[in-house]
Amino acid sequence: MPLLKVNGVEVFYELSGPTGAPVVVFSNSLGTTLAMWDWVVLALRGRYRVLSYDTRGHGRSQVVDAPITIDDLAADLVGLLDGLEITKAHVVGLSLGGMTGQALASRHPDRVASLTLMATAAYMPSQQSWDERASLVRSQGTAAIVEATMGRWFTPDYPAQAPERVSPVREAFISIEPAGYAVCCNAIGRMDLRSVIGQISAPTLVIAGADDPATPVPMAEEIRSMIPGAEMIVLSRAAHLLAVEQAEKVGAYLVSFLDQYRGWEGDGALGAVPFDVGLLNRKSVLGEEHVDRSLAKAGTFAQPWQDFITRTAWGEVWGDPRLPWKTRSLVTLAMMVALHREEEFKLHVRPALKNGVTAGELQSLLLQSAIYAGVPAANAAFRWVRDVLGEELA
C-alpha cells in the first residue's frame, strides 16, 4: 500500500501516468478522500502524471489528534513531493485542498508550476462555528452532519440524477475518522491567508460554483483579485463539490489551463526506462492484479520477455506523453480489430474505459473498423466487447 511518512504523518497516495509527463497533484476537500477526483482525472490520464493523496486524518492517511494549521497541511504536501522526488508540480485543490494549495504556493513558489483553486476561500469565518462543528463531530461522528453537508455539496436535484457519483462520496464522508475531520475543522477556523496570497507567482485558475453556499462566488472573486494575473471561471449548476457534479467540465477547463504550461511538448520518446518505472505505467493501465499474475506466471524462461515489454512498451511507448492514454487506447483497440487479436483486444477494453473512452466512442470505433478492416473483423469485435462488458452495455 503506497504510504509515505512525511512531516511526521503517514500519507496515503496514488501516482500514475506516463513517466515523461509533468506531475499534477490533487488535494482533496474536507470530509472526502482522493477518490473525489476520479471523474476529473479521466481528462488527464496519459497526458499528465497524476498524484493524488488523502489529506491527513482522511481516508487511508494517518489520523493525528493534535492541533494543526493550514501551513502544516502544506508542509505535508511538500514532504510528499520530496519523498517522491518531484521537484515541481501543477497543484490542484478543492475547498480544504485549495487552502492547502494557497499556503503552498505562497510559501514555496519554486515547487508550484501552476495553481488551480476550486470552491475554496482564503478566509472562512467564524472560528467559533468551525470549533462547534469539530466538537459535534467528535461527539457524534460525521453521520450527524451528513445531510447538511450533502445539501451544501450538491445542487438539490443532483443526488437523484447521479446516485452512482453521490453515494460513494456520502459513504466516504460517513467513514471519516471524527478526530481527523475535527482537527482540520479547527485548522480552517484559524486560517487567514489573505495577507500572503498576493505573493503567489504561479499561473492561477480559480473555479467557483454558481450555486455553492459553502464557498460562494464572492469568496472566489476575493482570491482572484488578490493573486496577480489569476483567471476565474464560474460553473453553472454546480454547488460546493463541483469536481464531482461538473467533473467533465472541470476536467476540460483544467486540461486547457494546464496545456498552456506544458513545456514538454515535442520532447520526444523517453529512451531507456527502468523496469520499475514501466511497471507503474503497466499496472496503471492494465490493473495490478493482471500484471502481477502475468509476472508470476512468466517463470525464468519468459522473464526476459516480461522485462522487455515492461521497459519498452510500457516504459518508453506508454510513458511518452505526446499521445494521451485515451488516444493510445483507441489506436490499440483499432489495431487489434484489424489484426483479429481477440485476447489482446479483450485485455484493453476495460483499460480503455478507464482511460476516458466512452461506450459511444467505442461503438464508433468499431463502426469505422468495419469500413477499413472489414465487416467480419468488426462483427467479431462487437462480440468481444459484449463478452467483456456484458450487461454494462445495456
Side-chain angles (χ1 to χ4, degrees), residues 192-238:
D192 190 347
L193 297 168
R194 291 174 295 181
S195 64
V196 298
I197 61 174
Q199 302 168 20
I200 294 176
S201 56
T204 300
L205 174 65
V206 180
I207 302 179
D211 307 301
D212 183 1
T215 51
V217 173
M219 287 186 173
E221 176 58 35
E222 181 178 47
I223 293 173
R224 187 213 59 78
S225 68
M226 290 182 173
I227 299 178
E231 305 172 41
M232 181 169 161
I233 294 169
V234 179
L235 296 179
S236 60
R237 294 184 298 280

Side-chain angles (χ1 to χ4, degrees), residues 15-240:
L15 178 62
S16 66
T19 314
V23 175
V24 183
V25 57
F26 288 87
S27 186
N28 59 290
S29 74
L30 177 69
T32 68
T33 70
L34 55 77
M36 65 159 282
W37 298 108
D38 284 354
W39 296 95
V40 172
V41 299
L42 285 175
L44 278 69
R45 279 183 63 82
R47 191 166 179 77
Y48 290 91
R49 195 155 179 77
V50 173
L51 170 62
S52 53
Y53 71 101
D54 288 332
T55 296
R56 66 158 75 191
H58 290 64
R60 286 167 281 186
S61 287
Q62 185 178 357
V63 177
V64 178
D65 194 359
I68 60 168
T69 65
I70 297 299
D71 284 342
D72 291 320
L73 298 182
D76 290 351
L77 181 47
V78 170
L80 181 61
L81 295 175
D82 287 344
L84 296 174
E85 298 181 344
I86 297 170
T87 304
K88 201 167 192 174
H90 298 278
V91 178
V92 181
L94 188 146
S95 194
L96 178 60
M99 298 166 195
T100 301
Q102 291 173 70
L104 175 67
S106 299
R107 290 163 172 76
H108 302 276
D110 57 317
R111 309 303 297 271
V112 181
S114 75
L115 180 65
T116 302
L117 305 172
M118 304 182 191
T120 192
Y123 173 68
M124 289 286 289
S126 66
Q127 181 175 342
Q128 179 182 347
S129 65
W130 284 101
D131 289 346
E132 289 173 352
R133 188 193 299 191
S135 297
L136 176 60
V137 167
R138 281 185 181 277
S139 63
Q140 300 182 34
T142 52
I145 61 170
V146 65
E147 298 302 334
T149 300
M150 295 301 111
R152 292 191 299 271
W153 282 6
F154 302 108
T155 55
D157 296 335
Y158 187 71
Q161 295 169 355
E164 74 285 357
R165 293 195 183 185
V166 175
S167 294
V169 170
R170 180 190 177 91
E171 292 168 10
F173 182 81
I174 293 173
S175 70
I176 298 294
E177 288 287 335
Y181 185 93
V183 163
C184 289
C185 281
N186 296 142
I188 294 173
R190 292 192 295 272
M191 174 198 70
D192 190 347
L193 297 168
R194 291 174 295 181
S195 64
V196 298
I197 61 174
Q199 302 168 20
I200 294 176
S201 56
T204 300
L205 174 65
V206 180
I207 302 179
D211 307 301
D212 183 1
T215 51
V217 173
M219 287 186 173
E221 176 58 35
E222 181 178 47
I223 293 173
R224 187 213 59 78
S225 68
M226 290 182 173
I227 299 178
E231 305 172 41
M232 181 169 161
I233 294 169
V234 179
L235 296 179
S236 60
R237 294 184 298 280
H240 190 57

Side-chain angles (χ1 to χ4, degrees), residues 153-382:
W153 282 6
F154 302 108
T155 55
D157 296 335
Y158 187 71
Q161 295 169 355
E164 74 285 357
R165 293 195 183 185
V166 175
S167 294
V169 170
R170 180 190 177 91
E171 292 168 10
F173 182 81
I174 293 173
S175 70
I176 298 294
E177 288 287 335
Y181 185 93
V183 163
C184 289
C185 281
N186 296 142
I188 294 173
R190 292 192 295 272
M191 174 198 70
D192 190 347
L193 297 168
R194 291 174 295 181
S195 64
V196 298
I197 61 174
Q199 302 168 20
I200 294 176
S201 56
T204 300
L205 174 65
V206 180
I207 302 179
D211 307 301
D212 183 1
T215 51
V217 173
M219 287 186 173
E221 176 58 35
E222 181 178 47
I223 293 173
R224 187 213 59 78
S225 68
M226 290 182 173
I227 299 178
E231 305 172 41
M232 181 169 161
I233 294 169
V234 179
L235 296 179
S236 60
R237 294 184 298 280
H240 190 57
L241 214 60
L242 53 84
V244 174
E245 184 165 2
Q246 293 291 351
E248 289 76 16
K249 287 184 179 179
V250 168
Y253 281 124
L254 181 58
V255 169
S256 177
F257 174 67
L258 294 174
D259 279 355
Q260 299 176 67
Y261 311 101
R262 66 185 179 192
W264 43 271
E265 186 70 58
D267 286 349
L270 301 175
V273 173
F275 178 86
D276 289 345
V277 173
L279 187 62
L280 286 174
N281 292 336
R282 188 178 177 187
K283 287 185 174 182
S284 182
V285 174
L286 298 181
E288 291 194 14
E289 291 185 7
H290 169 80
V291 176
D292 287 342
R293 189 166 56 248
S294 296
L295 293 174
K297 290 168 58 179
T300 304
F301 182 76
Q303 193 55 48
W305 169 248
Q306 291 295 324
D307 183 82
F308 172 75
I309 61 173
T310 300
R311 291 175 184 272
T312 305
W314 295 104
E316 295 183 23
V317 177
W318 282 81
D320 178 354
R322 290 175 298 173
L323 280 182
W325 279 358
K326 177 179 179 178
T327 303
R328 291 191 185 279
S329 286
L330 288 167
V331 170
T332 300
L333 290 174
M335 287 192 286
M336 294 307 96
V337 173
L339 295 171
H340 203 80
R341 300 289 194 263
E342 179 179 358
E343 181 180 357
E344 197 74 9
F345 180 92
K346 289 181 174 179
L347 175 64
H348 279 272
V349 170
R350 287 196 182 279
L353 300 181
K354 186 179 178 184
N355 285 339
V357 175
T358 66
E361 288 169 334
L362 179 57
Q363 182 187 62
S364 182
L365 172 75
L366 299 188
L367 290 172
Q368 182 156 336
S369 297
I371 302 299
Y372 292 97
V375 171
N379 186 55
F382 272 101

